[in-house]
Amino acid sequence: MSTNNEEMIVTPWEVSGRIDYDKLIREFGTDPLTLEVLETVQKHTGTLHPQLKRKIFFSHRDLEWILQRYEAGERFYLYTGRGPSGPVHIGHLVPWIFTKHLQEKFDAKLYFQMTDEEKFLHQDDFTLEESEKWTYENALDIIAMGFDSKKTKIVIDRKSMDVLYEVAIRIAKHVNFSTVRAVFGFHDSTNIGLTFFPAIQAAPAFLESALLGQNVPCLIPAAIDQDPYWRVTRDVAPKLGYYKPAQIHCRFVPGLGRGGKMSASMPETSIFTVDPPELAQKKVLDAFTGGRATVEEQRRLGANPDICSVYSYDYFLFMDDKEIEDLRYNCFAGNILCGECKHILAERVMKFLEEHQRNREKAKAKFAEYLFNPKDL
Ligand code: TYM
């Protein structure tokens, strides 16, 4: 559990403390998603996606540049990913929902990398056999999201290494140890698999250009924890004659406890896509809220949605603009009690899981169709 006083840590492997997103923009050297940038996005998408309106996606690099190129007739592709180490939780779905929206609006191809070596290299007790199991299980979640099968290729590292390796070694030749040590905090005892790994996660950012033999702009939607990889990737790009990949970064969906991001390492405060709906219901009913100690106090003084995990869920995933506005008002005004809110959310989560789980079942027959095969190009 994290508290407000804990130091903020945001790395690809650890996110803890109270996250100050403005500070991250400054420290990581990214740009805020300003109204002007959002207006340019809206020109192409018609309406603004709720994740943009709500500043869930809050930061970017080169988004304007990629839209200018798009306006000039140069199509971009999307790249995102998953490091399979356990079940997918519904926080992971936030960047994927947005990626799907971008795919639809810009008719864009998507490379979805599954780094099935990453957690094996990173965690002492995680085996390659477990990785294989979770890669398949997580791929079902990705397919269940409904990405366009003709435009989406799932790149599983160990199955696509012949193609990825060539790009990765070209990248690796331009990245020295002191750079990855500074960016990722590696030290003398870090295994050499991990020190090479950033080149593998960078590779899909140039994959389309490498395969087509011409520069294709790439846009990476992900939460901001993945940003260290993109900093290294962007430094190398000009040395290889490629465009720097653009990024759009989202915030972290919090867990159902008091603070901290949703994380598979805290199963009791995470909702997994494979949770039986009744278990998810129980987790929501046990969630931390911004409520008062007694009903009487809550009616009189109102509650605090800004610290409430149930409200966060509604905000990130489950409520439209009108509903969220009403909920916020009614919460502050003491018109609604936490028990009622929890029940509303639990119903929606259960409904969502039932549908997602049906789609996961159907995804089993589509797995091969989504797998990356360079011969399909
Ligand atoms: P992984 O598996 O840790 O996370 C998958 C994606 O989910 C995002 N994410 C979250 N988003 C919102 N709320 C949360 N609580 C939350 N937790 C995780 C991550 O930012 C990521 O976008 N190394 C990567 C795999 C990868 C990748 C990529 C990710 C390979 N290539 C390209 C993004 C883009 C990883 O382990 O992600």
Short mmCIF file of all heavy atoms in Angstrom, two decimals, residues 12-13 79-85 89-96 113-115 118-119 138 197 201 204 220-226 229-230 250-255 261-263 316, ligand 1:
data_model
loop_
_atom_site.label_atom_id
_atom_site.label_comp_id
_atom_site.label_asym_id
_atom_site.label_seq_id
_atom_site.Cartn_x
_atom_site.Cartn_y
_atom_site.Cartn_z
N PRO A 12 9.60 1.14 -15.49
CA PRO A 12 8.83 0.08 -16.13
C PRO A 12 8.51 -1.08 -15.18
O PRO A 12 7.63 -1.89 -15.45
CB PRO A 12 9.74 -0.39 -17.26
CG PRO A 12 10.65 0.76 -17.53
CD PRO A 12 10.84 1.44 -16.22
N TRP A 13 9.23 -1.17 -14.05
CA TRP A 13 9.04 -2.32 -13.15
C TRP A 13 8.41 -1.95 -11.82
O TRP A 13 8.01 -2.80 -11.06
CB TRP A 13 10.37 -3.04 -12.91
CG TRP A 13 10.98 -3.46 -14.20
CD1 TRP A 13 10.48 -4.41 -15.05
CD2 TRP A 13 12.11 -2.91 -14.84
NE1 TRP A 13 11.26 -4.48 -16.17
CE2 TRP A 13 12.27 -3.58 -16.07
CE3 TRP A 13 13.03 -1.91 -14.50
CZ2 TRP A 13 13.30 -3.29 -16.95
CZ3 TRP A 13 14.05 -1.63 -15.38
CH2 TRP A 13 14.17 -2.31 -16.59
N TYR A 79 1.90 1.19 -32.14
CA TYR A 79 2.67 0.13 -31.50
C TYR A 79 2.38 0.18 -30.00
O TYR A 79 2.50 1.23 -29.36
CB TYR A 79 4.16 0.33 -31.78
CG TYR A 79 5.11 -0.38 -30.84
CD1 TYR A 79 4.84 -1.67 -30.37
CD2 TYR A 79 6.28 0.24 -30.40
CE1 TYR A 79 5.70 -2.31 -29.49
CE2 TYR A 79 7.16 -0.39 -29.53
CZ TYR A 79 6.86 -1.66 -29.07
OH TYR A 79 7.70 -2.29 -28.19
N THR A 80 1.93 -0.94 -29.44
CA THR A 80 1.80 -1.01 -27.99
C THR A 80 2.17 -2.43 -27.55
O THR A 80 2.62 -3.23 -28.38
CB THR A 80 0.41 -0.55 -27.51
OG1 THR A 80 0.48 -0.27 -26.12
CG2 THR A 80 -0.69 -1.58 -27.76
N GLY A 81 2.00 -2.75 -26.26
CA GLY A 81 2.48 -4.07 -25.85
C GLY A 81 2.05 -4.50 -24.46
O GLY A 81 1.36 -3.79 -23.73
N ARG A 82 2.53 -5.69 -24.14
CA ARG A 82 2.22 -6.32 -22.84
C ARG A 82 3.37 -7.25 -22.47
O ARG A 82 3.86 -8.01 -23.33
CB ARG A 82 0.90 -7.12 -22.97
CG ARG A 82 0.66 -8.15 -21.91
CD ARG A 82 0.22 -7.53 -20.60
NE ARG A 82 -0.04 -8.54 -19.58
CZ ARG A 82 0.28 -8.39 -18.29
NH1 ARG A 82 0.86 -7.29 -17.86
NH2 ARG A 82 0.01 -9.34 -17.42
N GLY A 83 3.78 -7.18 -21.21
CA GLY A 83 4.78 -8.11 -20.69
C GLY A 83 4.06 -9.17 -19.88
O GLY A 83 3.74 -8.94 -18.72
N PRO A 84 3.76 -10.32 -20.47
CA PRO A 84 2.87 -11.28 -19.80
C PRO A 84 3.53 -11.94 -18.59
O PRO A 84 4.50 -12.67 -18.74
CB PRO A 84 2.57 -12.33 -20.88
CG PRO A 84 3.54 -12.10 -21.97
CD PRO A 84 4.25 -10.80 -21.76
N SER A 85 2.99 -11.64 -17.41
CA SER A 85 3.55 -12.25 -16.20
C SER A 85 2.44 -12.77 -15.30
O SER A 85 2.69 -13.26 -14.21
CB SER A 85 4.35 -11.19 -15.44
OG SER A 85 3.52 -10.09 -15.18
N HIS A 89 -5.10 -7.12 -15.85
CA HIS A 89 -6.10 -6.45 -15.00
C HIS A 89 -6.75 -5.30 -15.78
O HIS A 89 -6.26 -4.92 -16.85
CB HIS A 89 -5.51 -5.99 -13.67
CG HIS A 89 -4.35 -5.04 -13.76
ND1 HIS A 89 -4.43 -3.79 -14.33
CD2 HIS A 89 -3.06 -5.15 -13.31
CE1 HIS A 89 -3.27 -3.17 -14.22
NE2 HIS A 89 -2.41 -3.98 -13.63
N ILE A 90 -7.83 -4.76 -15.24
CA ILE A 90 -8.56 -3.83 -16.10
C ILE A 90 -7.86 -2.48 -16.24
O ILE A 90 -8.19 -1.72 -17.13
CB ILE A 90 -10.07 -3.71 -15.77
CG1 ILE A 90 -10.33 -3.18 -14.41
CG2 ILE A 90 -10.77 -5.05 -15.93
CD1 ILE A 90 -11.85 -3.03 -14.18
N GLY A 91 -6.82 -2.24 -15.42
CA GLY A 91 -5.97 -1.07 -15.67
C GLY A 91 -5.25 -1.19 -17.00
O GLY A 91 -5.12 -0.21 -17.75
N HIS A 92 -4.76 -2.39 -17.31
CA HIS A 92 -4.06 -2.59 -18.59
C HIS A 92 -4.95 -2.24 -19.78
O HIS A 92 -4.47 -1.87 -20.85
CB HIS A 92 -3.64 -4.06 -18.76
CG HIS A 92 -2.61 -4.52 -17.79
ND1 HIS A 92 -2.77 -5.64 -17.01
CD2 HIS A 92 -1.39 -4.03 -17.47
CE1 HIS A 92 -1.70 -5.81 -16.25
NE2 HIS A 92 -0.84 -4.85 -16.51
N LEU A 93 -6.26 -2.41 -19.58
CA LEU A 93 -7.16 -2.23 -20.72
C LEU A 93 -7.28 -0.76 -21.13
O LEU A 93 -7.64 -0.47 -22.27
CB LEU A 93 -8.57 -2.77 -20.39
CG LEU A 93 -8.65 -4.23 -19.96
CD1 LEU A 93 -10.11 -4.64 -19.81
CD2 LEU A 93 -7.96 -5.16 -20.97
N VAL A 94 -6.96 0.15 -20.20
CA VAL A 94 -7.14 1.58 -20.50
C VAL A 94 -6.34 1.99 -21.75
O VAL A 94 -6.92 2.50 -22.71
CB VAL A 94 -6.86 2.44 -19.25
CG1 VAL A 94 -6.65 3.90 -19.59
CG2 VAL A 94 -8.04 2.30 -18.29
N PRO A 95 -5.01 1.77 -21.79
CA PRO A 95 -4.31 2.15 -23.03
C PRO A 95 -4.75 1.32 -24.24
O PRO A 95 -4.69 1.81 -25.37
CB PRO A 95 -2.82 1.91 -22.70
CG PRO A 95 -2.78 1.10 -21.46
CD PRO A 95 -4.06 1.34 -20.73
N TRP A 96 -5.24 0.11 -24.00
CA TRP A 96 -5.65 -0.71 -25.15
C TRP A 96 -6.97 -0.22 -25.75
O TRP A 96 -7.16 -0.25 -26.96
CB TRP A 96 -5.75 -2.19 -24.74
CG TRP A 96 -4.44 -2.72 -24.19
CD1 TRP A 96 -3.23 -2.06 -24.20
CD2 TRP A 96 -4.20 -3.97 -23.55
NE1 TRP A 96 -2.27 -2.84 -23.60
CE2 TRP A 96 -2.84 -4.01 -23.19
CE3 TRP A 96 -5.01 -5.06 -23.23
CZ2 TRP A 96 -2.26 -5.10 -22.55
CZ3 TRP A 96 -4.44 -6.15 -22.59
CH2 TRP A 96 -3.08 -6.18 -22.26
N GLN A 113 3.25 -5.87 -29.29
CA GLN A 113 4.37 -6.72 -28.86
C GLN A 113 4.05 -7.43 -27.55
O GLN A 113 3.53 -6.81 -26.61
CB GLN A 113 5.64 -5.88 -28.66
CG GLN A 113 6.85 -6.72 -28.27
CD GLN A 113 8.13 -5.89 -28.10
OE1 GLN A 113 8.10 -4.78 -27.59
NE2 GLN A 113 9.25 -6.45 -28.52
N MET A 114 4.37 -8.72 -27.48
CA MET A 114 4.27 -9.44 -26.21
C MET A 114 5.68 -9.88 -25.85
O MET A 114 6.27 -10.74 -26.51
CB MET A 114 3.32 -10.62 -26.34
CG MET A 114 1.92 -10.15 -26.74
SD MET A 114 0.67 -11.40 -26.48
CE MET A 114 0.53 -11.38 -24.69
N THR A 115 6.20 -9.24 -24.81
CA THR A 115 7.59 -9.46 -24.42
C THR A 115 7.66 -10.70 -23.50
O THR A 115 7.70 -10.58 -22.29
CB THR A 115 8.14 -8.21 -23.72
OG1 THR A 115 7.18 -7.80 -22.72
CG2 THR A 115 8.32 -7.06 -24.69
N GLU A 118 10.64 -10.80 -21.06
CA GLU A 118 10.92 -9.67 -20.15
C GLU A 118 10.81 -10.06 -18.68
O GLU A 118 11.74 -9.86 -17.90
CB GLU A 118 9.95 -8.53 -20.48
CG GLU A 118 10.17 -7.30 -19.63
CD GLU A 118 9.17 -6.18 -19.92
OE1 GLU A 118 8.27 -6.38 -20.76
OE2 GLU A 118 9.30 -5.12 -19.29
N LYS A 119 9.69 -10.65 -18.29
CA LYS A 119 9.50 -10.94 -16.86
C LYS A 119 10.35 -12.15 -16.45
O LYS A 119 10.75 -12.25 -15.29
CB LYS A 119 8.02 -11.16 -16.54
CG LYS A 119 7.13 -9.99 -16.98
CD LYS A 119 7.37 -8.70 -16.19
CE LYS A 119 7.01 -7.42 -16.95
NZ LYS A 119 5.71 -6.86 -16.84
N ASN A 138 -2.94 -13.94 -22.15
CA ASN A 138 -3.06 -12.49 -22.33
C ASN A 138 -3.40 -12.13 -23.78
O ASN A 138 -4.10 -11.15 -24.05
CB ASN A 138 -1.78 -11.76 -21.94
CG ASN A 138 -1.46 -11.81 -20.44
OD1 ASN A 138 -0.48 -11.23 -20.02
ND2 ASN A 138 -2.27 -12.48 -19.63
N PHE A 197 17.65 -6.10 -23.31
CA PHE A 197 16.21 -6.09 -23.55
C PHE A 197 15.65 -4.76 -24.09
O PHE A 197 14.76 -4.77 -24.96
CB PHE A 197 15.44 -6.53 -22.29
CG PHE A 197 13.97 -6.43 -22.49
CD1 PHE A 197 13.30 -7.39 -23.25
CD2 PHE A 197 13.26 -5.34 -22.00
CE1 PHE A 197 11.95 -7.26 -23.50
CE2 PHE A 197 11.90 -5.22 -22.25
CZ PHE A 197 11.25 -6.18 -23.00
N GLN A 201 12.53 -4.14 -26.93
CA GLN A 201 11.28 -3.37 -26.83
C GLN A 201 11.29 -2.18 -27.79
O GLN A 201 10.22 -1.71 -28.21
CB GLN A 201 11.03 -2.91 -25.37
CG GLN A 201 9.73 -2.14 -25.26
CD GLN A 201 9.04 -2.21 -23.92
OE1 GLN A 201 9.15 -3.21 -23.19
NE2 GLN A 201 8.29 -1.17 -23.58
N PRO A 204 10.04 -2.84 -32.33
CA PRO A 204 8.79 -2.64 -33.09
C PRO A 204 8.56 -1.18 -33.49
O PRO A 204 7.79 -0.91 -34.41
CB PRO A 204 7.71 -3.13 -32.13
CG PRO A 204 8.41 -4.12 -31.26
CD PRO A 204 9.79 -3.54 -31.05
N ILE A 220 3.09 5.45 -30.24
CA ILE A 220 3.02 4.45 -29.16
C ILE A 220 2.10 4.93 -28.04
O ILE A 220 2.46 5.84 -27.29
CB ILE A 220 4.42 4.19 -28.56
CG1 ILE A 220 5.44 3.89 -29.66
CG2 ILE A 220 4.36 3.05 -27.54
CD1 ILE A 220 6.88 3.73 -29.16
N PRO A 221 0.90 4.35 -27.90
CA PRO A 221 0.08 4.65 -26.73
C PRO A 221 0.42 3.67 -25.60
O PRO A 221 0.46 2.46 -25.83
CB PRO A 221 -1.36 4.40 -27.23
CG PRO A 221 -1.24 3.95 -28.67
CD PRO A 221 0.17 3.54 -28.90
N ALA A 222 0.65 4.19 -24.42
CA ALA A 222 0.98 3.34 -23.25
C ALA A 222 0.89 4.20 -22.00
O ALA A 222 0.86 5.43 -22.11
CB ALA A 222 2.40 2.77 -23.37
N ALA A 223 0.88 3.58 -20.84
CA ALA A 223 0.99 4.38 -19.62
C ALA A 223 2.43 4.92 -19.54
O ALA A 223 3.34 4.43 -20.21
CB ALA A 223 0.65 3.55 -18.38
N ILE A 224 2.62 5.91 -18.69
CA ILE A 224 3.91 6.63 -18.71
C ILE A 224 5.06 5.80 -18.13
O ILE A 224 6.22 6.14 -18.31
CB ILE A 224 3.78 8.02 -18.02
CG1 ILE A 224 5.01 8.87 -18.33
CG2 ILE A 224 3.51 7.88 -16.53
CD1 ILE A 224 4.75 10.28 -18.64
N ASP A 225 4.76 4.68 -17.48
CA ASP A 225 5.84 3.85 -16.93
C ASP A 225 6.78 3.31 -18.02
O ASP A 225 7.93 2.99 -17.75
CB ASP A 225 5.28 2.66 -16.11
CG ASP A 225 4.37 1.76 -16.93
OD1 ASP A 225 3.78 2.22 -17.93
OD2 ASP A 225 4.26 0.57 -16.59
N GLN A 226 6.29 3.23 -19.26
CA GLN A 226 7.12 2.66 -20.34
C GLN A 226 8.02 3.71 -20.98
O GLN A 226 8.81 3.40 -21.86
CB GLN A 226 6.21 2.03 -21.42
CG GLN A 226 5.35 0.90 -20.91
CD GLN A 226 6.16 -0.27 -20.37
OE1 GLN A 226 7.07 -0.77 -21.03
NE2 GLN A 226 5.85 -0.69 -19.15
N TYR A 229 11.90 3.44 -22.07
CA TYR A 229 12.26 2.74 -23.31
C TYR A 229 12.25 3.69 -24.51
O TYR A 229 13.08 3.59 -25.41
CB TYR A 229 11.26 1.61 -23.60
CG TYR A 229 11.38 0.45 -22.65
CD1 TYR A 229 10.39 0.20 -21.70
CD2 TYR A 229 12.47 -0.41 -22.71
CE1 TYR A 229 10.49 -0.86 -20.83
CE2 TYR A 229 12.58 -1.48 -21.83
CZ TYR A 229 11.59 -1.70 -20.90
OH TYR A 229 11.70 -2.75 -20.03
N TRP A 230 11.26 4.59 -24.50
CA TRP A 230 11.11 5.44 -25.70
C TRP A 230 12.17 6.51 -25.76
O TRP A 230 12.55 6.95 -26.83
CB TRP A 230 9.69 6.05 -25.77
CG TRP A 230 8.62 5.07 -25.38
CD1 TRP A 230 7.56 5.30 -24.56
CD2 TRP A 230 8.49 3.69 -25.80
NE1 TRP A 230 6.82 4.16 -24.43
CE2 TRP A 230 7.35 3.16 -25.16
CE3 TRP A 230 9.24 2.84 -26.62
CZ2 TRP A 230 6.93 1.84 -25.33
CZ3 TRP A 230 8.84 1.52 -26.79
CH2 TRP A 230 7.70 1.04 -26.15
N CYS A 250 -0.62 7.63 -20.83
CA CYS A 250 -1.76 7.73 -19.91
C CYS A 250 -1.32 7.59 -18.46
O CYS A 250 -0.21 7.17 -18.14
CB CYS A 250 -2.85 6.71 -20.25
SG CYS A 250 -2.47 5.01 -19.94
N ARG A 251 -2.26 7.98 -17.60
CA ARG A 251 -2.10 7.83 -16.15
C ARG A 251 -2.34 6.38 -15.75
O ARG A 251 -2.81 5.59 -16.58
CB ARG A 251 -3.14 8.68 -15.42
CG ARG A 251 -2.99 10.13 -15.63
CD ARG A 251 -4.22 10.89 -15.12
NE ARG A 251 -4.19 12.22 -15.69
CZ ARG A 251 -3.76 13.31 -15.04
NH1 ARG A 251 -3.42 13.22 -13.77
NH2 ARG A 251 -3.71 14.48 -15.63
N PHE A 252 -2.12 6.10 -14.48
CA PHE A 252 -2.34 4.74 -13.98
C PHE A 252 -3.71 4.62 -13.35
O PHE A 252 -4.08 5.44 -12.51
CB PHE A 252 -1.29 4.38 -12.93
CG PHE A 252 0.10 4.52 -13.45
CD1 PHE A 252 0.92 5.57 -13.05
CD2 PHE A 252 0.60 3.62 -14.38
CE1 PHE A 252 2.19 5.72 -13.57
CE2 PHE A 252 1.87 3.75 -14.90
CZ PHE A 252 2.66 4.80 -14.49
N VAL A 253 -4.43 3.58 -13.72
CA VAL A 253 -5.67 3.26 -13.04
C VAL A 253 -5.28 2.78 -11.64
O VAL A 253 -4.45 1.89 -11.50
CB VAL A 253 -6.43 2.13 -13.76
CG1 VAL A 253 -7.70 1.78 -13.01
CG2 VAL A 253 -6.75 2.53 -15.19
N PRO A 254 -5.82 3.41 -10.61
CA PRO A 254 -5.44 2.99 -9.25
C PRO A 254 -6.05 1.64 -8.89
O PRO A 254 -7.00 1.19 -9.53
CB PRO A 254 -6.00 4.09 -8.36
CG PRO A 254 -7.03 4.79 -9.15
CD PRO A 254 -6.78 4.52 -10.61
N GLY A 255 -5.50 1.03 -7.86
CA GLY A 255 -6.10 -0.20 -7.34
C GLY A 255 -7.33 0.14 -6.51
O GLY A 255 -7.67 1.32 -6.33
N LYS A 261 -1.13 2.21 -7.78
CA LYS A 261 -1.74 1.80 -9.05
C LYS A 261 -2.24 0.37 -8.98
O LYS A 261 -1.78 -0.41 -8.13
CB LYS A 261 -0.74 1.97 -10.19
CG LYS A 261 0.17 0.80 -10.43
CD LYS A 261 0.80 0.88 -11.81
CE LYS A 261 1.64 -0.36 -12.06
NZ LYS A 261 1.36 -1.09 -13.24
N MET A 262 -3.16 0.05 -9.86
CA MET A 262 -3.61 -1.34 -9.92
C MET A 262 -2.44 -2.19 -10.35
O MET A 262 -1.76 -1.88 -11.33
CB MET A 262 -4.76 -1.47 -10.91
CG MET A 262 -5.25 -2.88 -10.99
SD MET A 262 -6.87 -3.06 -11.75
CE MET A 262 -7.94 -2.34 -10.58
N SER A 263 -2.18 -3.23 -9.62
CA SER A 263 -1.00 -4.01 -9.91
C SER A 263 -1.29 -5.48 -9.62
O SER A 263 -1.91 -5.82 -8.60
CB SER A 263 0.13 -3.52 -9.01
OG SER A 263 1.14 -4.49 -8.95
N PHE A 316 -12.36 6.34 -14.93
CA PHE A 316 -11.46 5.77 -15.94
C PHE A 316 -12.19 4.91 -16.97
O PHE A 316 -11.84 4.88 -18.12
CB PHE A 316 -10.38 4.91 -15.28
CG PHE A 316 -9.15 5.67 -14.86
CD1 PHE A 316 -9.05 6.21 -13.60
CD2 PHE A 316 -8.08 5.83 -15.74
CE1 PHE A 316 -7.91 6.91 -13.21
CE2 PHE A 316 -6.95 6.52 -15.36
CZ PHE A 316 -6.86 7.07 -14.09
P1 TYM B 1 2.87 -4.23 -18.90
O1 TYM B 1 2.48 -5.61 -19.22
O2 TYM B 1 3.45 -3.94 -17.55
O3 TYM B 1 1.65 -3.26 -19.12
C1 TYM B 1 0.86 -3.31 -20.30
C2 TYM B 1 0.33 -1.91 -20.60
O4 TYM B 1 -0.49 -1.46 -19.54
C3 TYM B 1 -0.02 -0.22 -19.01
N1 TYM B 1 -0.36 -0.25 -17.58
C4 TYM B 1 -1.35 0.49 -17.06
N2 TYM B 1 -2.14 1.40 -17.62
C5 TYM B 1 -3.05 2.02 -16.82
N3 TYM B 1 -3.19 1.73 -15.50
C6 TYM B 1 -2.41 0.81 -14.89
N4 TYM B 1 -2.58 0.54 -13.59
C7 TYM B 1 -1.43 0.15 -15.69
N5 TYM B 1 -0.49 -0.80 -15.44
C8 TYM B 1 0.14 -1.03 -16.60
C9 TYM B 1 1.47 -0.20 -19.36
O5 TYM B 1 1.99 1.11 -19.44
C10 TYM B 1 1.43 -0.86 -20.73
O6 TYM B 1 1.07 0.10 -21.71
N6 TYM B 1 7.37 -3.75 -21.14
C11 TYM B 1 5.92 -3.69 -21.34
C12 TYM B 1 5.46 -4.48 -22.56
C13 TYM B 1 5.63 -3.71 -23.84
C14 TYM B 1 4.99 -2.49 -24.17
C15 TYM B 1 5.45 -2.17 -25.48
C16 TYM B 1 4.06 -1.69 -23.49
C17 TYM B 1 6.43 -4.07 -24.90
N7 TYM B 1 6.33 -3.14 -25.90
C18 TYM B 1 4.98 -1.02 -26.12
C19 TYM B 1 3.60 -0.53 -24.13
C20 TYM B 1 4.07 -0.21 -25.43
C21 TYM B 1 5.19 -4.20 -20.10
O7 TYM B 1 5.69 -4.99 -19.35
O8 TYM B 1 3.89 -3.73 -20.01
#
